[in-house]
Amino acid sequence: WQHDSTLAPGADSLPPIVTVSVPNGGQNWQIGTIQSLSWSASDNTVIDSTEIRLDRSNDGTFEELVARLPGSPGSYNWSVGGPPTSLAKIQVICKDTAGNAGSDLSDNIFTVSSPPAANKLTVCATGCGYTTITSAFNAALISDTIEILDNRIYNETFSNWNKRLVLRSAPGNRATISR
């Protein structure tokens, strides 16, 4: 039996045990989306803080701070930012009240990808992609634009949409939305 005189009797020297659950490899997350990072952590005392870091080049250097959190909530909603990479990993570091740190990282790489290019969806009576604003809107992605190419009146009901509507009319025409 050896006695370590550098520790006060009963002092905590055990680091937290941390396990990253998500992302743990294979995910493809688009820039601009919200993704849930999750992990578990345990310790013989209280976990005081959590730090989440990102490595975009799979070189073991987690140079980008994603979040600093009190305690260990076990999950964090991350607003995925650029630049894109196919070599990303995260590291979760938990510290207990004695200052001991434990960490884990993604087992495998995941991808941070660019969002799809914006499309322009056209609406007119004939010869366009869509004949109603509703059908164009339902087909649109978040970054798409809907362009009205004629000056007819569209009598449509807009309700229960979870997208933002931006209308652009062709030169010489105008787009008006009334409630």
Side-chain angles (χ1 to χ4, degrees):
W1 180 80
Q2 292 183 329
H3 177 69
D4 184 351
S5 61
T6 61
L7 296 175
D12 177 18
S13 62
L14 299 174
I17 298 170
V18 182
T19 304
V20 171
S21 303
V22 178
N24 224 7
Q27 292 83 358
N28 184 350
W29 291 345
Q30 287 183 1
I31 294 168
T33 62
I34 304 292
Q35 300 294 333
S36 181
L37 309 177
S38 63
W39 65 94
S40 61
S42 62
D43 193 48
N44 62 328
T45 63
V46 176
I47 295 176
D48 186 56
S49 64
T50 298
E51 187 172 288
I52 304 169
R53 301 195 70 82
L54 176 67
D55 174 1
R56 290 185 187 270
S57 56
N58 194 26
D59 64 0
T61 305
F62 292 83
E63 63 280 345
E64 190 173 326
L65 178 66
V66 173
R68 277 196 181 106
L69 308 168
S72 179
S75 67
Y76 177 75
N77 287 332
W78 177 39
S79 179
V80 180
T85 180
S86 60
L87 300 172
K89 283 188 173 184
I90 65 156
Q91 179 183 42
V92 176
I93 306 161
C94 293
K95 290 185 180 175
D96 63 19
T97 52
N100 301 308
S103 68
D104 189 36
L105 49 106
S106 305
D107 288 341
N108 294 295
I109 57 174
F110 66 96
T111 298
V112 173
S113 59
S114 296
N119 293 312
K120 180 167 63 171
L121 307 177
T122 56
V123 179
C124 63
T126 59
C128 293
Y130 299 90
T131 57
T132 67
I133 296 170
T134 302
S135 62
F137 191 80
N138 288 337
L141 300 175
I142 289 173
S143 58
D144 291 345
T145 299
I146 298 172
E147 186 172 39
I148 311 299
L149 297 180
D150 58 16
N151 58 5
R152 69 186 167 125
I153 295 173
Y154 292 85
N155 186 12
E156 300 182 43
T157 302
F158 304 100
S159 64
N160 298 323
W161 283 354
N162 59 356
K163 301 177 190 175
R164 189 181 79 169
L165 177 62
V166 176
L167 294 175
R168 291 198 173 94
S169 64
N173 297 323
R174 67 174 189 218
T176 304
I177 297 178
S178 319
R179 279 186 112 169

